[in-house]
Amino acid sequence: MSTEAQDRTGGRNGLAGVPLAQIPTTRKDFVSDQEVRWCPGCGDYAILSALQSVLPRLGIRRENTVVISGIGCSSRLPYYVNSYGMHSVHGRALTLATGLAMTRDDLAVFVVTGDGDALSIGANHLVHALRRNVNLTILLFNNRIYGLTKGQYSPTSPAGAVTKSSPAGAFDTPLNPMSLALGAEATFVARTLDADQEALEETIDAAARHRGASFVEIYQNCVVFNDGAYEALRGPGREESIIRLRAGEPIVFGRDGHLGVVADPGGGVRVVEVAEVGLESVLVHDPTIDDPSRAFALSRLTSTGAMAQAPMGVFRDVDRPVYDDLVRDHVRREQEALGQDPSSDAALAALIAGTDTWQT
Amino acid sequence: MSTDQTSAQTRQVDRVVIRFAGDSGTGMQLAGGRFGSESAGFGNDTTTFPSYPAEIRAPQGTIAGVSSFQVQFASHEVTTVGERLDVLVAMGPAPLRAHAGDVRRGGLIIVDDHGFTPRALKRAGYEHNPLEDDSLGAYQVVHLDMTALTSTVVEALGLGRKQAERCRNMFALGLVSWLYSHPIEETIDWIDRRFASQPDVRDANIAALKAGVNYGETAELFTVRYEVRPAPMPKGRYRQITGNTATAYGLMVGAHRAGLQLFVGSYPITPASDLLHELSRRAGYGVITFQAEDEIAGIGAALGASFGGSLGVTTTSGPGFALKQEMINLAVMSELPLVIVDVQRAGPSTGMPTKPEQGDLLQALWGRNGESPLPVLAPTSPADCFDTAVRACRTAIEYRTPVVMLTDAFLGNGAEPWRLPDLAAIAPIDPKLAAGPIGVDEQGNPVHLPYRRDPRTLARDWAVPGTPGAEHRLGGLEKSVEAGTVTYSPLNHEEMVLTRARRIAGIPVPDVEVDDPSGRADVLVVGWGSACGPVSAAVQRLRGTGARIAQAPVRTLNPLPANLGRVLRGYARVIVPEMNLGQFATLLRARYLVDVRGYNKVRGFPLNVDELTAHLAGQLDEVSDSRTAQTTEESR
C-alpha cells in the first residue's frame, strides 16, 4: 500500500497517525473465526461485509484497528472482525472509544452502535463525542426497533408504532439522528443504507478518513421485528424516495430528476417539481459549508412516520479542531515547557516535595 | 518570666486545638491553612481539617454560611484533629454561635467584635449580645475590633475599605501566631509568592499579618503566651499534605513506576474534585485528564485507556461511585487494570456532600451484579493515601483488575506532615505486556489466548492494540477459559467465576499489625480508613490511665489480611468503630464468626475521641467484670 491516503488531505486524515500495513491486508484478514449469529436476512450482514471490504482499502495495519461497541444486535459486530475489539456496556461504547483515542493516536477506532444503544441509553455520550470532535468513526445501525430484547419500540420508531411494549401505539416523538448530530455540530455526518453496498462502502471509507468524529447513520432492516421499515428506499420506485446528496451537484431526485430541493422562505428547505421552479433554483449540495444550518434543513426532509422519503449521502464534512489532538498537543507542550526527562524520577520527586518542606 | 519585650509569660503545652471560623469567603481556610503550615514547619506534629458549607456563597452572617478550619499541633504524635477546642477564633457573631459550644471549659475565644450589630446578632440567632451577657462565662473571651485595626493599617497603604477588610484574616493569623510563638517568616514568603502579581494586595496582607503580631505583643490582651515544642519524628524531609494531594501523587508515581501513561477520566463531585484539579495541572508529567460528560463516561474513558495499555483511573464520591458500578463490572469481566478512588461522603443519595462517612464499603465489595470480586484498599491517614494509591496501581496492573481505594472527605481534605518518599526505593511495577501471540492452535499456528493466565498470579496475558498477531475481542459476555471466545457453557462459566474469585483472593496482603504493647490486652479495637486516627488517639489515652487495650488498623478490606481471623479470635472482645452502621463489623462477623461489637456514629464528623474513649473504657470495665465473675465462678 502507499501513503496516498495520508497525503490526500495533507495531514487532516483521520488515519494520519496509524501505521500502514507492510503487506497489504485483504478482506479475509478481517474475518474472525467466530460464527456470525445474526438472524438470516438481517441487514447487519451487509454492513459487516462492507466494513470488511473497506478496512483493507484503508491500508492500515490490522493490529492497529479497533472496533468498540455497546450492547444490542449491532454491537455483536466486533466479535466478527478479526482486529482488536471490545463489546462493552449498553450505551457506553463512545466513552471507551474516547479514552482509547485520547491515549492512542496510532489506532483507527471504529464504534458500532444502534438506535437504542446510541440514541436512547447512550444519547448523552453521542452528543458529547460529536461536539468534542473526537477522532472516531461511528457507525449507527438504525432499524427503528429493539431487536435483541425482542421487539420494543426505539427512539427512532415512528410515532404510534405498535410494538410489544406499545400495544396502543408509541406516544414518543421519534428522534432524527442526522438532526441530532448536526445540532451537536458534528464534523462528518452521513446517511446510507444497508442494501446499497456501493454507497455503504464509499461512505464508511470517507468517514474513516475524516479527522474528527465521523457519524454515519445506516438504515438497516430488521427482518424479524421491523421487516420492511425501509421498503420505500429499497424496493422498486426507490428513486422517488431517496434524496441523493452529491457534493457539487443540484439536489434532484425521482425519475429523470423531476423533483428538486429548494430553499424555503421559512429558513428550511422543501421538495418541489423542478419543472415548476427551474433547475437554477435547485440547491447545489455543499457539505463543506461551515454553518450546519443548511445541512440541518436537509435532514428535516426525512419522514418522521413510516419511511417514505429520506436524504442519503454526506450531509456535512468540515474541518474543526479535534479533541484528542488538542489534548495531545497540550501534554506535549507542557512536557516541553517542564523540560524534564519523563522517565526519570527527578521531576516527579521535585513536584511531590513542593515548596514548603522542613528537615528533622 | 519571659525574656522578650512583652509582659506575657511563655508556657509550654503539649498540644493545642485551634479553630478559625468566619463567614464563608472571609479567608478562614487560608488563615487556618497557613497556621497549620507554620506549626508543621516548626516541627510540631500537625493535623488540619477544613469544614465549609456545600453552598458556594451560603447566606452571609448565618450559621449555615460559616466556614472553618481546624488545626491540632502537638509535641507528640497526633492522629486526629482534636475534639474540644483550646482556642476559637470567631470573626463575627454567626461563627461564634456556630462553634462556641465546641470550646473546652476555660478555653480561649478570640472574637472580632466589629460586626456585632443588633441586626447581625439577630441574623446569627442571638437575642442578646453574648459579649455583654454572661453566656460565655465558662470561657476566657478576648474581643477586639480586628476589622477596624486591620483597616487602619491597610488603608494607609492606599487600599479601599473593602479590600482592607479582606486582610483581617491575616491580622487574626498574626495575633494567633504571636500567641503560640510561631515564626511568621514562612508565611511572609508565602504571601510574597501568592500575590507576586498584585504588589498592593501583597503589601496589605503582610502589613495586616505584622499588625496582628504587634498587637499581641503590645496590647496586653493576653497574660500568657504558649509554646508547643517540636515533636520527635523520624529523620527526614517533610511537607504538609492533604489526603487528596497525596492520592494524586500516588497515582502519578504508580503509573510512573509501571512506565504507563496515567489517564484520569472523572466528573466533578465533592469532595473528590480536588483530585481532578490536581491531576489536570500535571500534563507536564504526561498525565492526561478527561473531564467527562458524566460519571459513567469518566470511568468508561478510563477503561478504554486501559484497554489501550494506559493506566486508567477514575475519581469520585458515593453517588458517582454508584453510577460507575456497571463499568467496574466490565473491568472485572475484561480483566483490565483500573483504579477507582471513592472519596466517601455522607449518604445516602446526595446526603451531606462536604461531610465524611464510611458508608460505601459494602457498595465497593458487593454493589454490582453477579460475582464480582475486586480488591478494596483504605488508607488510614492523609499521608497514607500516597502509599495506598501506589499500592492500588500496583495491584491493578499486576493482577489485571479494577481496584477500589476508599478514602473520605476527612482523609481527602485533612492534612498532616508527610515524610517525602524516596521514589527509587519504590519497587518498579511490571505490566508484562504480551509482545505477540502466546499460544498455538491444533495446526501449530500461533494464536493469541487472551485469557491464558500466569499460573502464580492467575493474571491474564495483556496484549494491547497494536500488537501484531494478538488481535482479540473482549467484552461483558462470559468468555471461554484461555481462548476468550463467547460461550454460555455452564461449566465454563463456573470455572471462570471461581477463577476470578481465586485470583483476587490470592493477592498477597500484608498481615494486619497488632499494637498490643503489654501483649495481655483483652480488648482489641479494629479500625479502617479515617476511623483509625480517633481509635489510635482513644487507645493512647486509655493506656495513659494504665489500661491494657490493643488496636489493629486494617488497610486492605479485600482480600482481608490472612492473619486477621486468628488475631480477632485472640481477644475476649473486639470493637469496630466506624462512621456507618456497622459495615466492616458485618463483614468480619460473616467472615470469621467472631462476635465483634460495632461502635457507630454517622454525624458527618470524624469519630469523637472523648466519646470513643468513654465507650472503650466502659467496654474494658465490662470485660474485666465478666472476667472477675468467671474467676469467682470457677473458684467455687
Side-chain angles (χ1 to χ4, degrees):
Chain A
M1 296 305 281
S2 72
T3 55
E4 201 181 322
Q6 267 77 358
D7 300 337
R8 205 176 56 188
T9 52
R12 297 298 304 160
N13 193 309
L15 308 169
V18 186
L20 298 175
Q22 282 162 338
I23 304 162
T25 57
T26 64
R27 177 193 163 78
K28 219 177 128 219
D29 289 322
F30 289 96
V31 176
S32 82
D33 60 356
Q34 296 297 294
E35 187 192 340
V36 183
R37 291 192 181 173
W38 289 310
C39 305
C42 177
D44 290 356
Y45 285 93
I47 307 171
L48 172 64
S49 170
L51 181 64
Q52 286 167 332
S53 299
V54 169
L55 288 172
R57 275 184 233 152
L58 298 175
I60 55 174
R61 293 187 189 173
R62 181 177 70 176
E63 62 268 25
N64 290 73
T65 309
V66 182
V67 187
I68 297 184
S69 65
I71 296 293
C73 290
S74 57
S75 289
R76 290 294 185 101
L77 186 139
Y79 290 122
Y80 310 136
V81 176
N82 192 14
S83 66
Y84 284 90
M86 172 78 93
H87 177 218
S88 72
V89 173
H90 198 18
R92 319 300 173 197
L94 284 164
T95 70
L96 285 107
T98 298
L100 186 61
M102 288 174 71
T103 47
R104 295 288 304 271
D105 67 340
D106 62 331
L107 302 178
V109 183
F110 292 82
V111 173
V112 171
T113 182
D115 42 320
D117 196 54
L119 300 174
S120 193
I121 192 167
N124 185 26
H125 309 305
L126 178 62
V127 170
H128 294 285
L130 295 178
R131 60 125 178 141
R132 286 190 188 107
N133 202 24
V134 183
N135 191 28
L136 302 170
T137 303
I138 305 162
L139 308 179
L140 185 150
F141 300 13
N142 182 5
N143 55 17
R144 309 187 81 184
I145 196 77
Y146 281 178
L148 198 64
T149 52
K150 300 186 174 54
Q152 301 82 10
Y153 65 100
S154 92
T156 57
S157 296
V162 174
T163 71
K164 274 188 188 164
S165 57
S166 56
F171 306 122
D172 298 36
T173 299
L175 196 61
N176 180 331
M178 294 289 93
S179 299
L180 178 75
L182 290 162
E185 299 185 43
T187 55
F188 184 97
V189 181
R191 175 188 280 152
T192 181
L193 179 70
D194 57 1
D196 187 346
Q197 196 72 13
E198 192 186 328
L200 192 53
E201 290 183 18
E202 193 183 307
T203 312
I204 295 173
D205 188 280
R209 292 175 198 275
H210 172 78
R211 191 153 196 91
S214 310
F215 181 64
V216 182
E217 179 190 18
I218 305 168
Y219 282 165
Q220 171 250 324
N221 191 45
C222 172
V223 283
V224 175
F225 296 106
N226 202 16
D227 196 22
Y230 298 113
E231 205 44 42
L233 309 178
R234 297 157 62 108
R238 59 181 176 273
E239 65 273 19
E240 298 295 318
S241 296
I242 295 177
I243 306 174
R244 187 76 65 188
L245 304 176
R246 293 187 184 87
E249 292 183 21
I251 309 172
V252 293
F253 65 108
R255 208 174 331 102
D256 305 322
H258 70 101
L259 296 170
V261 175
V262 296
D264 184 81
V269 296
R270 65 195 162 96
V271 175
V272 295
E273 286 288 339
V274 175
E276 289 173 14
V277 296
L279 190 61
E280 64 281 4
S281 298
V282 172
L283 295 172
V284 173
H285 183 52
D286 182 2
T288 66
I289 303 170
D290 197 48
D291 185 338
S293 308
R294 175 58 53 81
F296 184 87
L298 288 170
S299 77
R300 305 313 295 166
L301 296 176
T302 313
S303 303
T304 54
M307 185 54 65
Q309 173 184 291
M312 309 289 280
V314 178
F315 287 70
R316 187 170 198 238
D317 183 1
V318 299
D319 261 353
R320 180 153 70 79
V322 172
Y323 180 77
D324 40 313
D325 288 341
L326 294 173
V327 170
R328 278 186 290 270
D329 287 349
H330 167 67
V331 169
R332 202 174 303 123
R333 276 196 310 273
E334 291 285 309
Q335 282 181 315
E336 281 165 15
L338 194 69
Q340 297 271 6
D341 173 6
S343 65
S344 86
D345 288 346
L348 252 187
L351 169 73
I352 285 171
T355 52
D356 223 351
T357 64
W358 67 93
Q359 186 79 40
T360 60
Chain B
M1 290 294 287
S2 73
T3 53
D4 57 27
Q5 312 110 324
T6 68
S7 55
Q9 44 171 264
T10 300
R11 190 183 296 164
Q12 303 287 337
V13 286
D14 286 344
R15 71 177 185 125
V16 174
V17 181
I18 180 167
R19 188 182 293 166
F20 295 81
D23 279 332
S24 178
T26 54
M28 290 300 99
Q29 306 294 329
L30 278 184
R34 275 316 309 166
F35 189 77
S37 294
E38 286 176 2
S39 306
F42 184 68
N44 301 134
D45 196 12
T46 308
T47 52
T48 63
F49 184 61
S51 176
Y52 43 85
E55 298 79 13
I56 300 307
R57 283 287 180 266
Q60 290 280 308
T62 65
I63 299 280
V66 174
S67 154
S68 71
F69 194 98
Q70 184 162 327
V71 180
Q72 171 164 232
F73 58 110
S75 59
H76 53 79
E77 189 189 356
V78 285
T79 57
T80 70
V81 288
E83 297 71 41
R84 310 308 288 173
L85 304 177
D86 297 300
V87 185
L88 170 67
V89 179
M91 302 301 281
L96 178 64
R97 182 145 184 276
H99 296 293
D102 294 338
V103 181
R104 68 167 167 80
R105 292 185 71 81
L108 174 63
I109 302 182
I110 304 172
V111 183
D112 179 5
D113 59 20
H114 183 77
F116 278 61
T117 60
R119 194 186 144 91
L121 287 165
K122 196 157 171 238
R123 204 164 155 73
Y126 279 120
E127 291 190 9
H128 305 286
N129 186 342
L131 302 177
E132 288 166 2
D133 60 24
D134 56 1
S135 60
L136 298 173
Y139 315 110
Q140 184 193 345
V141 179
V142 172
H143 62 90
L144 64 159
D145 192 338
M146 290 195 225
T147 305
L149 288 164
T150 306
S151 296
T152 313
V153 179
V154 172
E155 278 178 52
L157 296 172
L159 259 68
R161 170 162 287 270
K162 237 190 150 69
Q163 259 185 310
E165 282 183 8
R166 269 197 210 129
C167 298
R168 67 194 178 122
N169 62 334
M170 286 296 125
F171 184 94
L173 175 61
L175 185 61
V176 179
S177 298
W178 172 84
L179 186 60
Y180 285 98
S181 319
H182 275 176
I184 58 164
E185 286 72 24
E186 287 277 335
T187 295
I188 291 175
D189 287 349
W190 177 85
I191 294 172
D192 257 339
R193 285 197 301 273
R194 186 179 168 91
F195 300 111
S197 60
Q198 300 159 274
D200 50 343
V201 177
R202 175 197 64 199
D203 295 346
N205 275 284
I206 292 174
L209 179 73
K210 287 184 173 167
V213 174
N214 295 338
Y215 195 79
E217 258 183 31
T218 55
E220 300 193 1
L221 287 170
F222 306 96
T223 51
V224 184
R225 288 178 81 180
Y226 301 90
E227 188 181 60
V228 178
R229 286 271 171 82
M233 297 174 88
K235 276 194 104 53
R237 180 157 285 281
Y238 285 79
R239 65 166 285 178
Q240 191 79 355
I241 196 158
T242 67
N244 277 343
T245 307
T247 302
Y249 290 169
L251 295 170
M252 288 174 70
V253 168
H256 176 73
R257 296 309 281 159
L260 298 183
Q261 165 79 57
L262 179 62
F263 179 93
V264 183
S266 292
Y267 186 76
I269 184 169
T270 304
S273 299
D274 279 346
L275 288 167
L276 177 60
H277 301 163
E278 176 64 36
L279 290 161
S280 63
R281 294 164 59 210
R282 303 304 167 208
Y285 302 84
V287 179
I288 295 182
T289 52
F290 172 56
Q291 181 176 313
E293 58 269 27
D294 62 25
E295 296 278 357
I296 298 169
I299 187 172
L303 186 58
S306 285
F307 178 54
S310 296
L311 176 60
V313 170
T314 190
T315 58
T316 190
S317 187
F321 190 44
L323 283 166
K324 292 181 195 294
Q325 297 295 345
E326 189 184 12
M327 196 64 77
I328 294 175
N329 244 353
L330 180 61
V332 166
M333 204 65 162
S334 56
E335 302 188 26
L336 285 169
L338 186 68
V339 176
I340 303 104
V341 181
D342 174 11
V343 186
Q344 298 169 96
R345 68 190 214 188
S349 190
T350 308
M352 299 195 288
T354 58
K355 307 297 181 193
E357 205 161 276
Q358 295 179 285
D360 295 350
L361 173 59
L362 296 186
Q363 187 186 188
L365 289 168
W366 296 320
R368 293 168 298 282
N369 64 307
E371 295 295 339
S372 171
L374 50 69
V376 179
L377 312 181
T380 58
S381 75
D384 190 36
C385 288
F386 177 82
D387 291 337
T388 306
V390 174
R391 194 153 66 93
C393 297
R394 183 182 304 280
T395 305
I397 294 165
E398 291 182 347
Y399 288 85
R400 324 293 198 219
T401 178
V403 175
V404 172
M405 172 170 165
L406 291 176
T407 73
D408 62 46
F410 174 68
L411 291 174
N413 290 323
E416 66 176 352
W418 175 46
R419 187 157 64 140
L420 296 174
D422 173 10
L423 296 188
I426 298 171
I429 301 169
D430 185 358
K432 291 190 184 156
L433 296 177
I438 50 173
V440 205
D441 67 9
E442 297 92 58
Q443 284 82 44
N445 299 315
V447 60
H448 187 65
L449 302 171
Y451 282 88
R452 202 183 71 169
R453 296 171 189 283
D454 177 315
R456 187 180 59 84
T457 62
L458 298 182
R460 72 173 186 87
D461 284 286
W462 187 15
V464 303
T467 312
E471 292 85 353
H472 63 277
R473 275 67 58 192
L474 299 174
L477 287 172
E478 185 62 283
K479 298 295 187 295
S480 62
V481 170
E482 293 211 337
T485 53
V486 176
T487 171
Y488 294 171
S489 147
L491 289 178
N492 178 82
H493 175 56
E494 189 167 63
E495 184 173 346
M496 287 298 265
V497 168
L498 292 171
T499 304
R500 285 189 286 266
R502 273 201 303 272
R503 180 170 109 264
I504 301 305
I507 294 172
V509 170
D511 272 354
V512 67
E513 286 177 29
V514 184
D515 169 34
D516 184 359
S518 70
R520 292 188 295 133
D522 290 325
V523 174
L524 170 71
V525 192
V526 175
W528 72 277
S530 68
C532 292
V535 164
S536 177
V539 163
Q540 296 305 337
R541 274 198 213 173
L542 289 165
R543 284 180 189 158
T545 66
R548 288 198 303 262
I549 185 165
Q551 61 173 334
V554 180
R555 291 184 163 80
T556 313
L557 304 170
N558 193 47
L560 288 163
N563 67 336
L564 187 57
R566 188 168 43 77
V567 166
L568 298 181
R569 290 184 199 103
Y571 289 86
R573 182 158 296 184
V574 179
I575 300 156
V576 183
E578 295 178 82
M579 288 192 283
N580 58 38
L581 295 187
Q583 299 195 9
F584 192 43
T586 299
L587 179 66
L588 294 178
R589 293 174 76 106
R591 176 73 191 270
Y592 300 111
L593 293 177
V594 169
D595 184 18
V596 308
R597 312 283 177 99
Y599 172 83
N600 306 98
K601 300 287 173 193
V602 282
R603 297 172 182 171
F605 272 99
L607 297 174
N608 180 298
V609 178
D610 292 343
E611 292 176 5
L612 178 59
T613 307
H615 177 81
L616 295 177
Q619 295 286 305
L620 286 165
D621 287 347
E622 247 184 71
V623 173
S624 147
D625 287 353
S626 72
R627 282 267 144 137
T628 315
Q630 205 177 2
T631 316
T632 318
E633 190 75 19
E634 280 164 6
S635 62
R636 271 190 195 142

